[in-house]
Amino acid sequence: MTMRSLPIRVRLTILYSIMFASVAVLLSVTSWCMLRRAIDASAHQDLQERVDDVRKQLREFDSSPADATFQQRFDDIYHFRDDGKWLQILDQNGGWVYRSDRMADLNASLVLPQALPSRGQTTDFKRGTRQIRAFSAAIDVDGRSYSVEVGASMNKQLILLRQFGIGLWILTPLVLCAAVVAGHAMSRKALEPIAAMALEARRISDKNLDQRLQVPPADDEIAHLSVTLNSMLARIDAGFRGMREFTANASHELRTPLARLRTEVDIALMRPRSAAEYENTLEHIQEVAEEMTGLTETLLSLARAETRSEPLELAPVDVWKLIQAVHQEWTPVAKHLMLTLQTERLGAEQASSSDSLWVAADRPALLRLLRILLDNACKFTPPGGAVFIIATQTRSEVILAVKDSGIGIPKDQHHRIFERFYRVSGDRTEQRSGSGLGLSLAAWIAEQHGTAIQLSSAPGAGSCFEICLHSIRNESVPLANPVKQPSQTSRAFSRRTS
Ligand code: ADP
């Protein structure tokens, strides 16, 4: 099991504990070393003072007339003193000036003053239960050199150091335990706001998606997380609302033709009718059924577009050929509505109207888009008017336009007409059939081609819907798959047309 697989609270506890424990161990070791150094320094100072004391005595002995030997005279002074217990003095010729009983018993050697280092030398040795620290130094008294060795028992200091060490050994595990407890408490404290946020988030369901998480006043990571989650909730909320609206609107749209169907049937069944009357009713029913089929197909396409389960495949499409086919398909409709329907090709002088015009597109989707635009153009152009399908070739693009001389669209409605189920208000369109879904599907198709529909229109001045497609040299050019984001082409197009 790796550290990453552990819950964050455990990981934090471990990290805090390791941190506290390391600090505790470091502090213990450092303080033990410092105490040891202080003891060493104090012992050294004490021994140094003893050497100075011996120098003073030797100077005094030299200046005062005396009959006793140095051994006798040192014995008189140091015999009962603690600092005389471990003392020996050697003169420059190697003769013993003084040796305490303990030093004599030990028969400790001492080098000549000339052989001793100038700062003296320290040695440790054990005598029974005693740990002795000895310090030898060379001293000069009135032109004569002596080696002096003094010693002192270190037992008291060592006991002090040991007791301190034992204290630390007991204290360190206790500090470790405290570190684990403190680490756990700190990680709990640190994660508390997240736990509270999780609790709050758990209360939000599809029933109360309008609720938001509380954002703490501090500008920290928790506040950023709350803001991010809140914006995510807002998006989900908008999506849910859109879905509900879509379902409600779709049901509403289907209800009208269904009611018409029922009325037709009810009237037909009220009394026996002639064959011609039945035929007439059936024709009406067929009309309504076709309308409903168109509506459900559009709804299905929009639903698929929403879930992206119908990805578009871009392939080379001869858009001029497509325009001709659409022109042929819609000429009878236009004639029936007393409109003229024309195709026009602009931009490439050298190209004849029989030449191909290759673009990267999904043929069925592009056909659908053209049909939607043509259906609207025919619906919203009064008899006697004209509808044009225009292809304009530029260096790298083909601009496809459906233009009409119809009733036009007020400027403030230009954006709204691409919304689902939106129809321009007012009685001007009420007689015309439609669900308000066509343009939203057309906009999605354009988006899938990496472009957007551009509209120029004004009331009474007709409308022109344009899309800009990426032009390719011929049908053999390999293509990347559907363009999900508006390409540079479409951005350039938007700039040019805005
Ligand atoms: P539908 O045509 O089914 O109502 P659309 O989404 O295709 O739905 O169009 C939305 C609205 O935009 C239409 O109801 C109409 O008011 C307006 N509209 C679309 N095309 C035109 C046009 N060529 N001329 C005038 N108004 C139009």
Side-chain angles (χ1 to χ4, degrees):
M1 188 157 64
T2 59
M3 185 83 166
R4 278 176 182 279
S5 60
L6 291 171
I8 192 159
R9 180 173 296 171
V10 177
R11 263 152 56 189
L12 272 179
T13 307
I14 293 174
L15 283 176
Y16 280 134
S17 309
I18 290 176
M19 213 172 70
F20 278 126
S22 314
V23 170
V25 168
L26 198 77
L27 212 68
S28 301
V29 172
T30 315
S31 52
W32 189 84
C33 289
M34 279 167 70
L35 182 66
R36 201 193 145 128
R37 274 177 71 110
I39 285 174
D40 283 348
S42 135
H44 185 78
Q45 178 70 24
D46 183 40
L47 293 172
Q48 184 77 56
E49 277 171 15
R50 288 185 190 193
V51 171
D52 289 344
D53 217 28
V54 170
R55 183 190 285 124
K56 225 158 64 190
Q57 298 300 340
L58 280 170
R59 195 165 290 141
E60 258 175 41
F61 292 166
D62 263 5
S63 55
S64 66
D67 1 291
T69 61
F70 276 154
Q71 180 71 31
Q72 179 64 50
R73 292 167 81 173
F74 271 110
D75 253 345
D76 291 348
I77 300 163
Y78 284 111
H79 191 69
F80 294 108
R81 275 170 56 176
D82 202 40
D83 50 354
K85 281 178 185 159
W86 299 96
L87 172 65
Q88 58 183 356
I89 307 164
L90 193 71
D91 68 17
Q92 60 196 37
N93 303 318
W96 288 110
V97 177
Y98 175 74
R99 274 191 125 179
S100 65
D101 294 346
R102 286 184 185 179
M103 279 296 195
D105 280 356
L106 198 67
N107 199 17
S109 61
L110 185 59
V111 292
L112 290 173
Q114 308 84 290
L116 276 171
S118 59
R119 296 181 64 210
Q121 90 186 6
T122 307
T123 43
D124 284 301
F125 60 87
K126 216 167 157 123
R127 183 81 183 138
T129 55
R130 286 196 197 90
Q131 181 71 36
I132 309 295
R133 173 154 303 170
F135 175 64
S136 323
I139 54 168
D140 283 321
V141 179
D142 301 327
R144 261 176 298 174
S145 303
Y146 299 91
S147 292
V148 180
E149 185 171 31
V150 289
S153 164
M154 295 292 287
N155 279 26
K156 266 194 248 166
Q157 288 90 328
L158 288 177
I159 287 170
L160 181 79
L161 202 62
R162 197 175 308 126
Q163 291 294 335
F164 186 68
I166 291 169
L168 287 181
W169 274 114
I170 296 169
L171 221 62
T172 307
L174 286 180
V175 169
L176 273 178
C177 292
V180 174
V181 174
H184 183 70
M186 278 176 81
S187 61
R188 256 184 96 99
K189 188 93 197 131
L191 295 173
E192 231 167 49
I194 297 183
M197 200 186 289
L199 195 74
E200 254 187 283
R202 236 172 278 144
R203 286 200 201 108
I204 301 174
S205 69
D206 60 328
K207 306 281 177 304
N208 57 350
L209 268 174
D210 55 331
Q211 276 197 19
R212 296 290 173 266
L213 302 175
Q214 265 185 11
V215 180
D219 181 24
D220 56 9
E221 286 74 11
I222 304 289
H224 293 174
L225 183 63
S226 315
V227 171
T228 312
L229 287 177
N230 278 345
S231 65
M232 191 179 81
L233 276 173
R235 287 197 299 275
I236 296 174
D237 190 17
F240 252 75
R241 231 178 288 160
M243 232 162 67
R244 282 195 196 116
E245 265 171 38
F246 183 78
T247 319
N249 287 335
S251 324
H252 181 80
E253 286 302 321
L254 284 167
R255 230 170 40 198
T256 319
L258 274 174
R260 268 171 61 200
L261 271 184
R262 278 193 57 186
T263 319
E264 290 279 350
V265 174
D266 285 350
I267 292 170
L269 292 177
M270 271 168 79
R271 56 180 172 84
R273 302 201 178 260
S274 66
E277 279 176 315
Y278 281 128
E279 198 178 328
N280 191 29
T281 307
L282 282 174
E283 269 170 14
H284 281 162
I285 290 175
Q286 190 184 27
E287 243 172 59
V288 180
E290 270 169 19
E291 200 182 304
M292 283 178 73
T293 309
L295 180 64
T296 43
E297 263 172 22
T298 314
L299 282 172
L300 209 61
S301 299
L302 275 171
R304 283 188 188 143
E306 197 72 20
T307 54
R308 300 281 190 271
S309 62
E310 198 184 54
L312 297 188
E313 288 289 331
L314 296 197
V317 174
D318 182 355
V319 81
W320 186 241
K321 209 165 146 193
L322 191 78
I323 288 173
Q324 297 306 322
V326 171
H327 179 253
Q328 224 174 2
E329 181 185 306
W330 282 80
T331 303
V333 181
K335 244 189 207 149
H336 177 72
L337 295 168
M338 286 182 282
L339 302 170
T340 53
L341 179 63
Q342 287 173 31
T343 59
E344 218 175 293
R345 185 158 169 183
L346 306 169
E349 279 80 41
Q350 70 275 31
S352 82
S353 60
S354 61
D355 279 351
S356 302
L357 199 52
W358 292 101
V359 293
D362 180 289
R363 194 178 186 281
L366 194 60
L367 190 63
R368 187 108 205 237
L369 181 140
L370 276 175
R371 281 179 183 152
I372 291 168
L373 296 181
L374 277 171
D375 180 44
N376 281 343
C378 293
K379 252 185 340 200
F380 299 106
T381 305
V387 176
F388 300 89
I389 313 170
I390 309 161
T392 310
Q393 191 173 9
T394 69
R395 192 187 285 262
S396 59
E397 296 154 351
V398 171
I399 301 163
L400 205 61
V402 174
K403 197 174 163 191
D404 62 60
S405 62
I407 58 173
I409 305 159
K411 197 103 187 141
D412 59 328
Q413 310 277 327
H414 281 199
H415 277 289
R416 302 220 56 196
I417 58 165
F418 294 97
E419 288 171 16
R420 278 186 217 147
F421 298 104
Y422 187 80
R423 274 177 270 179
V424 176
S425 60
D427 55 5
R428 59 184 211 124
T429 62
E430 259 164 25
Q431 308 91 327
R432 298 170 173 95
S433 65
S435 58
L437 288 173
L439 284 180
S440 70
L441 182 59
W444 178 79
I445 294 171
E447 191 193 308
Q448 293 298 296
H449 284 81
T451 184
I453 299 178
Q454 302 295 320
L455 166 64
S456 40
S457 177
S463 309
C464 180
F465 290 84
E466 290 181 311
I467 70 157
C468 177
L469 296 165
H470 185 61
S471 156
I472 49 175
R473 252 178 294 121
N474 55 53
E475 62 190 309
S476 57
V477 175
L479 290 171
N481 260 340
V483 190
K484 297 284 180 204
Q485 295 300 320
S487 67
Q488 284 190 340
T489 314
S490 70
R491 283 199 287 272
F493 177 69
S494 315
R495 273 203 305 277
R496 205 182 50 239
T497 52
S498 60

